[in-house]
Amino acid sequence: MSEILIIEDDTYINNLIFKALTKEGYSCRQAFSGTEGLLYAKSEEFSLVVLDLMLPGINGEQLLPKLKNELDIPVIVLSAKDSLDSKIDLLNAGAEDYMTKPFEIEELIARIGVQLRRSLGAKNTKQLSHKKLVLNLEEMSAEINGNIISFTKHEYKILELLIGNPNRVFTKQDIYDYAWEDIYIGEDKTVNMHISNIRKKLKAVTDEEYIETVWGIGFKLSK
């Protein structure tokens, strides 16, 4: 499951983001100052940070390079500053995206999905394997014990995501964002159908289970 850190001192906005993201299936941690946010970022693992600029303690401009250079976490900045220079400075400082207050919560959710899609499963490797299944990423091929398995592009991307992150549980939104490279709008049936098809194709050549359903959350790689 994607873990998101919300660093925003305005209680109403922080809670608004927290409730909206939780409803979408994300796990979130709330921080109300830059100092608190940095403490959480250093002690826990996050997939993305939503960062306000005007913070007590360490402000957003000071915190951004620490999140990027020291911890390498994707960051979406929220700010009342709407000048072009401010946006350029923050993007040059490493922010993945920038939203000006006031903002629409639906747009923030969509932008978060885009950033997670870009970062999930990114690995500098030509081959992934789990148990007897081998994926050749350059050729987009798959085999078990010499048996070539023909997966569709989306099925292959789902396996790439799961095998590339063997200990993570992925929501259906995580999977859709990564495999379809599009914004998720409740595509549960689409994800379920592709997972079912993958299982059938694997079952044809092996009795081993490769994808585990985590009820109420999503899917993960079977041990």
Side-chain angles (χ1 to χ4, degrees):
M1 180 184 294
S2 296
E3 303 279 344
I4 298 175
L5 175 60
I6 306 163
I7 309 176
E8 164 66 67
D9 67 318
D10 185 305
T11 303
Y12 173 79
I13 295 176
N14 197 317
N15 287 337
L16 175 69
I17 298 171
F18 177 83
K19 290 176 183 177
L21 292 179
T22 301
K23 186 177 180 181
E24 292 295 321
Y26 294 110
S27 177
C28 301
R29 167 76 77 175
Q30 294 173 278
F32 297 88
S33 73
T35 306
E36 183 184 20
L38 181 59
L39 179 65
Y40 288 142
K42 286 185 173 182
S43 61
E44 301 176 34
E45 186 173 338
F46 295 99
S47 302
L48 182 139
V49 174
V50 177
L51 175 66
D52 181 38
L53 289 185
M54 302 298 289
L55 295 167
I58 304 171
N59 65 39
E61 284 96 339
Q62 295 170 320
L63 187 52
L64 178 58
K66 295 180 182 296
L67 294 172
K68 296 302 303 177
N69 300 336
E70 297 177 21
L71 302 172
D72 193 26
I73 307 174
V75 177
I76 295 180
V77 169
L78 304 178
S79 175
K81 298 179 180 180
D82 60 358
S83 72
L84 180 59
D85 287 344
S86 294
K87 296 177 183 179
I88 291 173
D89 288 345
L90 287 164
L91 292 172
N92 285 337
E96 272 68 26
D97 205 347
Y98 184 108
M99 290 190 68
T100 303
K101 294 180 179 180
F103 59 89
E104 296 293 334
I105 191 66
E106 293 84 2
E107 182 180 357
L108 176 60
I109 291 170
R111 287 174 182 257
I112 287 171
V114 168
Q115 295 305 324
L116 290 174
R117 182 186 72 223
R118 289 175 179 172
S119 61
L120 286 174
K123 288 185 178 289
N124 296 320
T125 182
K126 296 180 180 180
Q127 190 177 87
L128 292 173
S129 63
H130 180 64
K131 297 181 180 178
K132 298 177 182 178
L133 175 62
V134 178
L135 302 183
N136 186 314
L137 303 185
E138 287 189 332
E139 300 176 1
M140 286 194 70
S141 63
E143 65 176 89
I144 291 180
N145 291 336
N147 296 302
I148 304 300
I149 308 171
S150 179
F151 291 112
T152 67
K153 176 184 175 182
H154 294 137
E155 291 166 359
Y156 194 91
K157 293 289 284 183
I158 291 171
L159 282 170
E160 179 185 316
L161 177 64
L162 295 177
I163 296 176
N165 301 270
N167 298 315
R168 289 188 59 175
V169 178
F170 291 97
T171 66
K172 292 174 184 178
Q173 176 169 344
D174 290 335
I175 293 170
Y176 189 87
D177 284 344
Y178 182 78
W180 275 262
E181 298 185 3
D182 199 359
I183 295 172
Y184 178 86
I185 48 174
E187 304 286 350
D188 283 13
K189 291 182 179 179
T190 300
V191 174
N192 288 341
M193 180 186 70
H194 281 75
I195 293 289
S196 177
N197 288 341
I198 292 170
R199 283 171 166 162
K200 288 177 183 177
K201 291 178 180 181
L202 292 171
K203 194 69 175 177
V205 296
T206 180
D207 290 330
E208 288 192 278
E209 294 293 333
Y210 280 82
I211 300 177
E212 177 183 340
T213 299
V214 181
W215 296 107
I217 301 176
F219 303 94
K220 69 184 295 289
L221 203 64
S222 296
K223 297 293 186 181

